Amino acid sequence: MAGKQNITIIDVAQKAGLSSATAGRVLGGYGNVSEKARLKVMKAAKELGYMPNAIAQSMKSQVTKTIGVLVGNIANPFFSEIIHSIEVKGAEAGYSVIIANTGEDIDEEVKAIKTLYAKRIDGLIIATAQPNDMILDASKKRLYAGDVPVVYIDRELLNVNELIIKADNFSGSYEATRYLIQKGHENIGLIASIFTSTMYERIDGYKKALSDAGMPCHKEYIKIGSTASVEEGNRFTKELLAQSAELTALFVLNNITCTGALLALREMNKKIGRDISFIAWDDFELAKILDPPLTTVTQDPKKMGELAAEKLFEKINAKRENKEWFGESTIVLKTQMIERQSCRDINLLK
């Protein structure tokens, strides 16, 4: 057998002096065998350098030890950190991770889910691009909440009864808007990305802070995008400042559109903290070293990714044991506003 490239179960069985069926049960981890037989097979496998066929094993055990992670934009640092956390947790639990990037396109999202299911993943983590008010029909609902265990992150769907792990978007936005109001700002522009549940909650927090302060909410001050892109952030910023000269502050609810907004302000020669106050959602490294450093609302993507993986593995294990999973339906993680120097106190000028 010297020089043989593909060592099979038959080879292991022959070396151990046992049947192929017995060797298969030992190496596949199913069925009953004696401890003596198990030790013989494991010793033979080690000596031959046997490598299991993952595809064959998954067909036998109905387990692939693979999960899927679907996000709208992998270039978004928020999603990148979530994915990294999931991969770390996956490796600890012996799972491989397949990542699908949809470009915030709903049709691509549906295709990606079908592709992941075709690869026989054991579970799926989804940050959906579906609109906040989307009611799925029966066929779509089977995709988003079918037989494969699912955990949602960041964004949820109205009629899908699956665990969602998200940030406290409403409170984070409310706090940031109230902060600007307390600094004397009465005209605050808001730039949002695609209208997912996440954006809905953040916009709602903005509106509630204005209402509680007895201030009107001007629809023309709110820009909602369709692509969560740098280009939209740039365009919306220029449109807001061109049509609303009275604006004194901008609150940008997505870190990709934030990049576009910052570029627009530079192109318009607007000085942050002097000509316009600025708050960004999601902290990022450059926010600390910009001139001036940016005030941000930060989430905890690392914690979100870790929890998503842990809860998904719980659901997978429950299914494998034919048990019902009785975990939480919603996990909400706190946000935190990090105050820096990008917001001027207008009260001091009055």
Side-chain angles (χ1 to χ4, degrees), residues 207-244:
K207 290 179 177 179
K208 186 68 165 75
L210 292 174
S211 175
D212 285 354
M215 297 167 58
C217 177
H218 300 283
K219 291 183 178 179
E220 63 271 24
Y221 288 177
I222 301 174
K223 296 287 186 178
I224 302 173
S226 59
T227 62
S229 65
V230 172
E231 291 75 19
E232 279 190 341
N234 188 291
R235 174 163 54 85
F236 287 160
T237 299
K238 291 176 179 177
E239 289 176 358
L240 279 170
L241 294 182
Q243 72 188 29
S244 307

Side-chain angles (χ1 to χ4, degrees), residues 285-318:
E285 289 301 317
L286 288 178
K288 306 169 188 175
I289 60 175
L290 289 172
D291 182 21
L294 295 185
T295 293
T296 62
V297 178
T298 183
Q299 306 179 83
D300 193 343
K302 181 175 183 291
K303 183 66 173 177
M304 191 177 291
E306 290 173 346
L307 280 173
E310 289 170 1
K311 296 302 179 181
L312 184 64
F313 298 148
E314 286 180 13
K315 296 181 83 171
I316 291 170
N317 291 334

Side-chain angles (χ1 to χ4, degrees), residues 32-239:
N32 296 315
V33 294
S34 68
E35 180 64 11
K36 183 178 179 181
R38 190 187 73 80
L39 291 173
K40 281 185 177 181
V41 171
M42 296 305 292
K43 182 174 183 291
K46 183 177 181 181
E47 290 176 355
L48 291 173
Y50 171 77
M51 296 291 290
N53 184 319
I55 296 175
Q57 280 191 332
S58 69
M59 291 176 68
K60 190 76 176 181
S61 65
Q62 299 299 306
V63 174
T64 62
K65 297 295 284 186
T66 302
I67 61 171
V69 179
L70 186 151
V71 298
N73 187 351
I74 199 171
N76 185 326
F78 172 71
F79 287 132
S80 297
E81 190 164 349
I82 286 177
I83 290 169
H84 176 69
S85 295
I86 293 170
E87 287 179 321
V88 170
K89 282 293 180 181
E92 291 174 357
Y95 279 84
S96 298
V97 180
I98 301 175
I99 301 163
N101 182 46
T102 67
E104 303 288 13
D105 185 288
I106 297 171
D107 292 334
E108 288 300 317
E109 178 171 299
V110 170
K111 290 178 186 176
I113 293 174
K114 290 179 178 178
T115 299
L116 288 169
Y117 286 164
K119 293 181 182 295
R120 304 179 67 252
I121 56 173
D122 295 332
L124 179 60
I125 296 171
I126 302 177
T128 182
Q130 292 281 2
N132 172 70
D133 56 356
M134 175 61 68
I135 303 296
L136 301 175
D137 60 30
S139 63
K140 285 281 185 67
K141 193 170 182 179
R142 282 193 294 272
L143 275 180
Y144 285 88
D147 293 332
V148 174
V150 176
V151 170
Y152 282 81
I153 52 171
D154 189 47
R155 307 159 176 182
E156 58 190 315
L157 290 175
L158 289 180
N159 65 333
V160 172
N161 187 26
E162 297 286 356
L163 169 63
I164 169 71
I165 302 171
K166 63 180 183 176
D168 192 346
N169 296 292
F170 177 90
S171 296
S173 183
Y174 183 95
E175 181 185 2
T177 307
R178 185 178 63 178
Y179 171 79
L180 288 168
I181 293 170
Q182 289 172 342
K183 284 185 171 292
H185 295 275
E186 299 178 0
N187 299 290
I188 304 166
L190 191 75
I191 297 177
S193 61
I194 59 173
F195 203 48
T196 58
S197 64
T198 300
M199 287 299 124
Y200 177 85
E201 292 165 359
R202 293 174 192 173
I203 293 169
D204 206 29
Y206 161 86
K207 290 179 177 179
K208 186 68 165 75
L210 292 174
S211 175
D212 285 354
M215 297 167 58
C217 177
H218 300 283
K219 291 183 178 179
E220 63 271 24
Y221 288 177
I222 301 174
K223 296 287 186 178
I224 302 173
S226 59
T227 62
S229 65
V230 172
E231 291 75 19
E232 279 190 341
N234 188 291
R235 174 163 54 85
F236 287 160
T237 299
K238 291 176 179 177
E239 289 176 358

